[in-house]
Amino acid sequence: MVTVKDVLINVRVRLSSKREVLIRSACDFAEKAHQGQKRKSGEDYIQHPLHTAINLAKIGMGSKTIAAGVLHDVPEDTEVTLKELEKKFGPEITQLVDGVTKLGKIKLRGTKEEIYLENLRKMFLAMAADIRVVLIKLADRLNNMETLASLPPDKQERIARETLEIYAPIANRLGIGDIKARLEDLAFKHLDPKNYADIVKMSSTEKIQRKKYIQKTVETLKKQLAKEKIKVLAIYGRNKHPYSLFQKLQRHDMDINKIYDLAGIRIIVPEVVNCYETLGIVHKEYRPLIGRIKDYISLPKPNGYQSIHTTIFGPEGKFLEIQIRTEKMNNEAEFGIAAHWIYSEKKRGLKNFLFPEKSKVPAKEIAWIKQLREWQNDLGKDDKEFMESLKIDFFKNHIFAFTPLGDIIDLPEESTPIDFAYKVHSEIGSRTSGAKINGRIVPLDYKIKNGDVVKIITSKENKNPSRDWLRFVKTSSAKSHIRKFMKKEGMI
Ligand code: MN
């Protein structure tokens, strides 16, 4: 059983007394509103909104989002109206609650695919409007997954599948590794109990063996780092979580000996420069495995993830993955977009948290949310094709390509020079007449590979996209530009 105290001790931002009062009064209000209601598990209903609030506190959300989290089921499940909520808590929190309620109303008619796309569309719309609504929904879903066992089996199956297909990928895209991993493991456990049990057993047997030499390596590295006067904020062993281990095993003939990052060590240091110094010290002590050194600090993953990874030959010749990063990078890896609140709310309250005037959230990181906003009109329509391409942009594996000047352009896999050109600028997209990849002329439907240097050749005379391009472009932004032109010209 949890109480308002558990919410408060998990808050990661600095709480002024005013903010603490806000959280307390939201908890009181929700408790009264849900009085007498029970969850399917037999627990008092208030346990669910409190857990939702705790999940939000843990990823570093501020008092308003936490308050909205604890109130999220009030309008839907109690007598209290939105108007009353607004009178008590003001428009901002009420809009968050309303957003969550709307997101929860799923269309149940139609094929599985239609329902899936409809849910996805709603999530995108909500994200474009206010990302906090989606964070509350993720926190809500996490607790629903934790208490899934008390629901009837068919409902369990539907919710677990939806979690794996929609919620976990969204948590991943927002960079909230912590929630993503927990959602995946809970869904995996329900959807595939046999493999889940096997994986857990397999990795725990391994774990016992590994524990010894992880400890040994940690001790050695600690000594070496101290000798070189590197300040280490934390160093610890870590294990791969069951679902990601399962996915990896499937790609490697279910052979656990082929998994190099089954277990590893994470080293947290103060500054970026210390990360590279640490890498040098690690490699001086242990031989690295060729092709396994990944510098996600210089080249972050598309979701913003930053860290250095290297796999080494540890004691007894066993492979170990070492991850090196700063504390800020570590927070961002676990809490993703939410981590920015930790840094910004420390200083002051935010008015418009998404695009505040002097935002602490780097423009690059919110670029895709901005893009979602631009697409909002298209999203409002029931355009299945558009949704499909958006799904590809959003969830598909990404590759990095470079402009001739070395700027990074990130694209979904199988993107073409036309997609690249539109990503650089819509004007460049429309004027494209040819492309060079790594110095060689390629056809416009060429599939760009990771690391390619792409030079777009533009035409001075022709400013019009070709209808033909629609056959092979991958990104929704290229598609929508080309189609806009076709419509304008009356071609479709
Ligand atoms: Mn709920």
Side-chain angles (χ1 to χ4, degrees), residues 39 45 48-49 52 69 72-73 77 100 136-137 140-141 143-144:
R39 292 276 282 176
Y45 196 94
H48 165 65
T52 304
H72 82 272
D73 277 330
D77 296 338
V100 178
I136 296 169
K137 194 69 198 166
D140 168 49
R141 175 54 62 111
N143 184 244
N144 284 337

Side-chain angles (χ1 to χ4, degrees), residues 25 64 66 105 146 173 176 236 248 291 404 424 446:
S25 69
K64 283 180 186 164
I66 294 172
K105 284 186 185 137
E146 281 162 351
R173 193 64 182 77
I176 313 172
Y236 51 88
K248 210 151 197 183
V424 174
Y446 171 89

Side-chain angles (χ1 to χ4, degrees), residues 217-237:
T217 314
V218 166
E219 289 312 317
T220 309
L221 287 176
K222 261 189 188 165
K223 243 182 253 158
Q224 292 303 322
L225 290 164
K227 220 168 93 188
E228 304 284 344
K229 302 207 166 39
I230 305 271
K231 190 178 170 199
V232 175
L233 299 175
I235 177 167
Y236 51 88

